[in-house]
Amino acid sequence: MLLEVEDLCVNYGHIEAIRHISFSVEEGQVVSLIGANGAGKTTTLKTISGLRTVREGRVVFEGRDITKVPAYERVALRLSQAPEGRGVFVGMSVRENLDMGAYVRTDRKTSAYREDLERVFSLFPRLAEREKQVAGTMSGGEQQMLAIGRALMARPRLLLLDEPSMGLAPKLIQQIFAIIKEINEQGTTVLVVEQNAAQALKLADRAHILETGEIVRSGTGAELAGDEAVKAAYLGGDV
């Protein structure tokens, strides 16, 4: 098992943001976490990344308990996140942003590094066209591509994506999810948090629904997409 989240509890002050959630991610899978705003999805990803303190439970990555491992060390272990809101370095160029994604690597002058850069440019040709452009002048969709590309430059075994479709036009949302599928097919395991439940379930091998900090339903993406209660609550009655 690549990732195991076991009986995880996380607080914001006295408020329980996550209550005793458990799930796993197998190597090669796409796993989706869906739910309404405030359900605990982003908190879950931040906790896996090391940006939130665990009150109870643990996070295990490649068989190692990383619950107390600092966030920067988790990146070195090849666990990388593209955050909600993109978080690009707005004053830096596209290329500089991508280089920042690889800050833990020691092989920047090797062919392997260039190959990874070319992989990102192949997935996102727009970034190749704008390699020298300042990130803050790019559109929201282009910044989302850059955020994912930057995360890929760390060569993650597990890529965490937080709301990759947020604020994007429908056509661009389809494009982003097609690229996420391609990233997975190239060998990167993906854990994605997403409010667009239809797209998230269509992509997912496994999916979990969070409500008020708890997992209330789990299954394959197809199973949940075909569930009448899920359709009514999250899919507008249809997929």
Side-chain angles (χ1 to χ4, degrees):
M1 197 65 65
L2 186 61
L3 177 75
E4 296 169 271
V5 174
E6 300 176 354
D7 201 32
L8 199 65
C9 299
V10 177
N11 279 28
Y12 286 108
H14 297 294
I15 299 171
E16 291 183 309
I18 299 174
R19 292 191 291 274
H20 301 287
I21 69 170
S22 298
F23 67 92
S24 60
V25 180
E26 293 184 20
E27 188 163 4
Q29 284 187 324
V30 176
V31 175
S32 295
L33 304 180
I34 66 173
N37 278 335
K41 306 185 304 298
T42 291
T43 300
T44 300
L45 278 202
K46 287 184 174 180
T47 304
I48 293 168
S49 294
L51 301 175
R52 289 288 178 266
T53 302
V54 174
R55 179 170 62 84
E56 292 182 32
R58 64 179 193 152
V59 178
V60 179
F61 184 61
E62 293 190 299
R64 173 184 174 182
D65 187 339
I66 63 168
T67 309
K68 296 184 179 180
V69 172
Y72 68 90
E73 289 187 17
R74 299 188 196 197
V75 178
L77 294 173
R78 298 178 65 186
L79 192 159
S80 185
Q81 179 172 348
E84 180 182 13
R86 295 138 200 166
V88 300
F89 300 105
V90 294
M92 294 183 177
S93 70
V94 167
R95 175 59 187 273
E96 288 168 337
N97 268 269
L98 294 175
D99 286 341
M100 286 297 293
Y103 78 95
V104 297
R105 295 177 59 170
T106 58
D107 63 347
R108 292 196 188 190
K109 295 183 179 181
T110 68
S111 60
Y113 186 83
R114 187 65 203 180
E115 286 170 8
D116 288 337
L117 192 62
E118 290 301 327
R119 177 195 180 200
V120 169
F121 287 153
S122 177
L123 288 164
F124 303 105
R126 190 72 60 87
L127 299 184
E129 296 169 4
R130 289 160 167 71
E131 185 175 356
K132 296 181 180 179
Q133 184 171 334
V134 175
T137 65
M138 300 170 74
S139 70
E142 290 166 344
Q143 289 188 17
Q144 184 61 68
M145 294 174 187
L146 181 55
I148 297 173
R150 182 182 60 191
L152 286 173
M153 287 303 295
R155 304 190 84 183
R157 293 201 61 204
L158 177 61
L159 175 63
L160 309 178
L161 300 175
D162 194 354
E163 301 285 5
S165 76
M166 179 179 288
L168 303 184
K171 185 176 180 180
L172 193 51
I173 289 172
Q174 291 184 359
Q175 182 183 351
I176 288 290
F177 273 93
I179 293 168
I180 294 170
K181 183 178 180 181
E182 186 175 353
I183 290 168
N184 176 247
E185 289 174 346
Q186 290 179 356
T188 303
T189 305
V190 178
L191 175 60
V192 58
V193 155
E194 181 55 59
Q195 262 196 295
N196 188 322
Q199 289 287 350
L201 293 178
K202 184 178 179 181
L203 182 71
D205 298 298
R206 294 283 301 174
H208 308 280
I209 298 175
L210 273 73
E211 292 181 4
T212 59
E214 298 178 299
I215 292 177
V216 296
R217 196 176 297 248
S218 300
T220 68
E223 286 170 349
L224 294 185
D227 185 289
E228 294 301 323
V230 174
K231 285 183 180 182
Y234 298 101
L235 303 171
D238 199 357
V239 180

